[in-house]
Amino acid sequence: MKEYSFDLARARQDTPGCDKVLHLNNAGAALMPRQVLEATTNYLRLEAETGGYEAAELAHDSVERVYDAVSSLINCRRDEVAIIENATRAWDMAFYAIPFQPGDRILTARAEYASNYIAFLQVARRTGAQVEVIPNDEFGQASVAALQAMLDERVKLIAITHVPTNGGLVNPAAEIGRVAREAGVLYLLDACQSVGQMPIDVQAIGCDMLSATGRKYLRGPRGTGFLYVRGEVLDQLEPPFLDLHAARWVAEDRFEIRPDARRFENWETNYAGKVGLGVAVDYALSWGLETIWSRIASLAADLRARLNALPGVELHDLGREKCGIVTFSVQGLAPEEIRRKLAGQKINVSTSSLASTRLDMAARGLQEIVRASVHYYNSEAEIDQFGEAIDALLY
Ligand SMILES: *Cc1c(COP(=O)(O)O)cnc(C)c1O
C-alpha cells in the first residue's frame, strides 16, 4: 500500500498535539491521541469522585481490557501478559528471574540498550555468568550466522534489542528466534521501540520474553509498559520480587506464586495508566500495524532522502530495512545545540549519546547524534519544514 491511501487528516484530528508542535521525538514519547488522553483523565476523575478502590471495581472491565488488547497486538494469550510501569522494569523482571550459574553465557548484540547491559554486567559479577556480543553482519545488524557459530551448551540466554534507541536499525528478531528455538535457549527481546511501530507477533518471532513501553510508538501514557512471557517458560522463572499480588500466603510457612504472567506485576499500580494503555493499544489496532508500519517507513525514507541532500549532514542509520528512527549529525554543530535551536521553533527532536548504546556508538566513533523519529501522524509538509529548518541551521 502506498502512503497516499493513509488517512492523515483523521490521524492528525485525533492528535491534539499536532496543532502545537512538530513532533519528531516519537522514540522518546509520542503524542497521545485524544482517545487515550480522555480515557486516562476520565479514569482519574472517577477515582477522585468515587474513591480509588471503588473506581477499580466500577471500571473493572476497562482496566482488564489492556490484557486482551496486548494479547491481540503481539499474538499471545492474555495470561502471558504482565502490565508493568515501564519497559526497563518489565525486562528486569524477566532477566533477573533467570537462574544463572558460573560459566553460563549470555549472548547479546552491539546495539543493546544501556539499562540491559548494566544488568548483564551486574548479574555476571554476581553469578559468574559471562556476557558476549554477537558481531554485526555487513548491514550493521546482529549477524545470525555469527550467533549460530557462538552457540554451545553453556549459552543460557540470547537477549537482544529489536530496534535500538539510537537509530533506524531493525535487528533480525525472527531469524534469531529460529536459532534460539532450535538450540532450546531462552530468548529475551527488548521490543521497546518496535512495538506500536511495526507488526510484532511473538509466535513468528519465537521469543520467550518480550518487553515494551507504553509511551513510545504505542502512544500511551507515561509510566506504562508490559512484559510478555511464554506460558511454557513461566514456571522456570521465579520473579526477583514477590508480593501479595504475585503470590499468595497460603500457610504460615508457605506461599504460592501465581501461575500466570502477573507474577511479574506488583499490587499497587497506575490504574489510569493501565486504562490509557489499553485504549492506546486498541487505537493502534484500529489503524492496523501494517498500515502504521508502511506509513512510518515511507515517511522516514522521505526524511532520510531530504537530509541526505543537505551538504554537511551525515546520516547514521544502520540495517537493511530501516525504521522510523532517523539519526544524523551536522558538520560544525553539536547535536544538543541543534536540539535546542529546533525546540525554539517548536520542533521536537532528541539526541542520543554514547552512554545509551555504548558498544555500537564506540564502534562507530560516535559521541552524540540527533534523533528525529517519525510517527504516522507526521505529515509530508512537516518533513519539508524539518528539512528547511536543518538547512537554515547550516548558514
Ligand atoms: C526507551 C528504551 C528502553 C527503556 O524503556 P522505559 O520504558 O523507559 O523503561 C529500553 N530499550 C530501548 C531500546 C529503548 O529505546
Side-chain angles (χ1 to χ4, degrees):
M1 265 309 186
K2 275 297 289 178
E3 93 241 26
Y4 42 75
S5 64
F6 183 81
D7 191 352
L8 180 64
R10 172 161 86 90
R12 294 182 70 80
Q13 272 156 22
D14 280 352
T15 308
C18 281
D19 293 338
K20 318 252 184 234
V21 287
L22 197 178
H23 194 67
L24 296 178
N25 190 14
N26 294 291
L31 298 175
M32 278 183 273
R34 68 179 159 74
Q35 289 83 346
V36 172
L37 177 64
E38 281 163 17
T40 309
T41 53
N42 286 344
Y43 188 88
L44 280 176
R45 188 168 305 110
L46 185 67
E47 282 188 339
E49 291 173 358
T50 67
Y53 289 42
E54 294 73 13
E57 208 173 305
L58 282 170
H60 177 265
D61 292 354
S62 5
V63 177
E64 282 296 309
R65 172 63 206 162
V66 67
Y67 296 93
D68 300 298
V70 169
S71 72
S72 304
L73 180 72
I74 63 170
N75 189 25
C76 68
R77 298 195 315 256
R78 88 193 296 279
D79 63 356
E80 295 174 316
V81 175
I83 303 300
I84 297 180
E85 63 265 37
N86 57 60
T88 303
R89 270 298 172 272
W91 188 97
D92 284 341
M93 289 304 283
F95 176 69
Y96 284 92
I98 300 168
F100 290 101
Q101 306 288 328
D104 282 348
R105 299 168 69 206
I106 299 169
L107 306 187
T108 187
R110 277 263 275 282
E112 196 62 5
Y113 189 64
S115 297
N116 305 349
Y117 211 88
I118 289 167
F120 295 151
L121 293 175
Q122 185 193 29
V123 161
R125 198 181 62 196
R126 278 185 182 169
T127 67
Q130 60 201 59
V131 192
E132 291 168 55
V133 181
I134 306 162
N136 281 350
D137 66 13
E138 70 269 35
F139 299 103
Q141 311 178 154
S143 164
V144 180
L147 165 65
Q148 186 86 57
M150 290 169 85
L151 290 176
D152 66 15
E153 68 291 340
R154 289 190 303 128
V155 175
K156 180 86 177 182
L157 175 70
I158 298 169
I160 66 147
T161 295
H162 193 191
V163 166
T165 193
N166 70 329
L169 171 68
V170 184
N171 265 323
E175 288 84 342
I176 288 172
R178 266 196 292 283
V179 173
R181 276 286 165 89
E182 255 168 45
V185 173
L186 281 174
Y187 177 24
L188 168 56
L189 186 67
D190 176 343
C192 196
Q193 295 288 5
S194 53
V195 166
Q197 180 173 187
M198 60 188 70
I200 297 290
D201 178 334
V202 293
Q203 313 305 330
I205 289 174
C207 55
D208 298 296
M209 300 153 285
L210 175 146
S211 55
T213 205
R215 74 181 183 283
K216 295 180 180 174
Y217 277 91
L218 278 176
R219 311 180 64 192
R222 293 199 66 171
T224 62
F226 68 82
L227 172 68
Y228 154 78
V229 180
R230 194 157 62 84
E232 289 78 359
V233 303
L234 266 169
D235 270 349
Q236 303 167 32
L237 298 175
E238 183 171 323
F241 312 117
L242 290 172
D243 71 355
L244 79 183
H245 170 80
R248 279 188 316 139
W249 192 11
V250 294
E252 278 191 23
D253 60 352
R254 224 160 42 79
F255 62 86
E256 279 170 9
I257 302 178
R258 281 181 75 119
D260 61 12
R262 294 196 205 190
R263 61 171 55 188
F264 296 104
E265 297 181 342
N266 58 74
W267 191 87
E268 174 57 358
T269 189
N270 178 356
Y271 279 68
K274 256 173 123 156
V275 170
L277 179 61
V279 171
V281 172
D282 279 332
Y283 186 77
L285 290 169
S286 79
W287 282 98
L289 273 296
E290 289 289 353
T291 302
I292 290 173
W293 175 222
S294 65
R295 168 76 185 166
I296 290 175
S298 136
L299 273 180
D302 289 353
L303 177 54
R304 285 192 190 93
R306 183 81 212 216
L307 292 172
N308 205 32
L310 300 176
V313 175
E314 191 186 350
L315 290 168
H316 295 298
D317 302 314
L318 302 175
R320 183 154 39 177
E321 180 187 31
K322 294 180 181 64
C323 73
I325 304 179
V326 177
T327 53
F328 63 95
S329 48
V330 179
Q331 220 168 47
L333 284 172
E336 180 49 29
E337 188 187 350
I338 295 171
R339 190 199 64 76
R340 212 165 11 84
K341 285 189 165 153
L342 293 171
Q345 307 168 43
K346 291 194 165 25
I347 298 175
N348 298 339
V349 297
S350 56
T351 60
S352 197
S353 61
L354 174 68
S356 295
T357 41
R358 178 173 283 279
L359 301 180
D360 171 57
M361 295 287 273
R364 296 194 278 154
L366 298 171
Q367 277 290 333
E368 194 169 37
I369 53 184
V370 185
R371 181 179 73 175
S373 41
V374 302
H375 216 317
Y376 58 82
Y377 54 73
N378 289 123
S379 66
E380 283 75 3
E382 286 181 323
I383 302 298
D384 283 344
Q385 188 192 335
F386 185 75
E388 280 156 22
I390 297 297
D391 196 23
L393 293 180
L394 294 165
Y395 302 103

